[in-house]
Amino acid sequence: DAGVTQSPTHLIKTRGQQVTLRCSPKSGHDTVSWYQQALGQGPQFIFQYYEEEERQRGNFPDRFSGHQFPNYSSELNVNALLLGDSALYLCASSLEVTAGNEQFFGPGTRLTVL
Amino acid sequence: GQNIDQPTEMTATEGAIVQINCTYQTSGFNGLFWYQQHAGEAPTFLSYNVLDGLEEKGRFSSFLSRSKGYSYLLLKELQMKDSASYLCAVRDRSGQAGTALIFGKGTTLSVSS
């Protein structure tokens, strides 16, 4: 049973560029959440997708957008990259109907903006 | 607003017991989670509390008091491999339908021999 997978593992971009990160949820999961984790900090919630719609959003600018596909996989897009966007981007999946809605995290994508 | 506080760092020795505290303020509490994160890796789930009381799972236990906005993670019989960051996270359902987790900054635990 595959867990949450993310691609790419590492990415280097320059300021002003655009980036797309990808996530495949754990088998059987239907909800995908994205988090940004700066060095030495806890993960910060970006947004959550369920039934191909963004249903909850954290305090991130519109430069951050996403998508969920019919197979429940998801993409995170960031436009006009800033140096401050350098971070570990974590994808987490869960199953909506389970009582605890425990979220399983992928290994993350390390984004460096130069 | 939402606020989660936990100590930045803690140290302990092998075989000892350590308690990591977490206090939170949220308007729509809907569960508290503890995650373990080793350096350079993804967070892994440790425990979930939604009702008051103690949840025990092997060497790890987690306690919740909703009236006090307080939780702790108790680690017994510490091992070197327990050296990691421990993240307290609250699920806040106020005003939105999602299940986002709001994380604290994490507590870095160092276990020495």
Side-chain angles (χ1 to χ4, degrees), chain A:
Chain A
D1 177 21
V4 181
T5 60
Q6 292 185 243
S7 63
T9 307
H10 295 86
L11 202 52
I12 299 175
K13 292 284 188 178
T14 55
R15 281 179 297 174
Q17 285 189 309
Q18 178 264 343
V19 68
T20 297
L21 311 181
R22 295 176 175 81
C23 170
S24 290
K26 182 178 168 65
S27 178
H29 283 185
D30 55 9
T31 304
V32 173
S33 305
W34 286 92
Y35 296 83
Q36 180 196 66
Q37 186 174 25
L39 207 58
Q41 303 292 314
Q44 272 198 292
F45 174 71
I46 303 175
F47 42 53
Q48 184 178 82
Y49 278 85
Y50 173 66
E51 292 188 335
E52 300 180 51
E53 293 203 356
E54 181 188 293
R55 71 168 177 182
Q56 190 174 7
R57 189 177 183 93
N59 190 26
F60 278 78
D62 292 345
R63 299 187 297 109
F64 289 77
S65 63
H67 190 79
Q68 185 179 34
F69 299 93
N71 66 353
Y72 306 116
S73 67
S74 177
E75 287 182 351
L76 164 66
N77 301 291
V78 187
N79 294 323
L81 283 167
L82 304 174
L83 295 180
D85 295 332
S86 295
L88 179 67
Y89 288 85
L90 295 164
C91 168
S93 74
S94 56
L95 182 60
E96 173 66 10
V97 297
T98 55
N101 292 132
E102 175 193 336
Q103 296 189 11
F104 291 80
F105 284 83
T109 294
R110 173 73 62 185
L111 173 65
T112 302
V113 182
L114 302 176

Side-chain angles (χ1 to χ4, degrees), chain B residues 5-97:
Chain B
D5 287 316
Q6 49 181 131
T8 303
E9 294 181 346
M10 298 184 72
T11 59
T13 54
E14 265 188 308
I17 299 173
V18 71
Q19 177 175 313
I20 303 174
N21 296 324
C22 171
T23 57
Y24 64 88
Q25 291 177 310
T26 181
S27 50
F29 178 84
N30 192 242
L32 187 141
F33 296 77
W34 284 95
Y35 282 82
Q36 179 191 61
Q37 186 176 28
H38 285 100
E41 298 183 9
T44 55
F45 171 80
L46 291 178
S47 69
Y48 165 66
N49 296 71
V50 67
L51 300 176
D52 292 350
L54 189 68
E55 294 282 341
E56 297 186 81
K57 190 185 291 186
R59 295 189 300 116
F60 295 76
S61 303
S62 58
F63 171 83
L64 175 66
S65 168
R66 289 172 296 169
S67 62
K68 295 181 179 177
Y70 168 70
S71 172
Y72 68 72
L73 179 69
L74 193 71
L75 294 79
K76 303 175 186 175
E77 302 170 15
L78 280 174
Q79 303 174 9
M80 298 291 284
K81 67 178 182 178
D82 297 329
S83 293
S85 178
Y86 291 85
L87 299 163
C88 173
V90 169
R91 186 167 60 213
D92 187 331
R93 296 294 292 264
S94 58
Q96 299 197 60

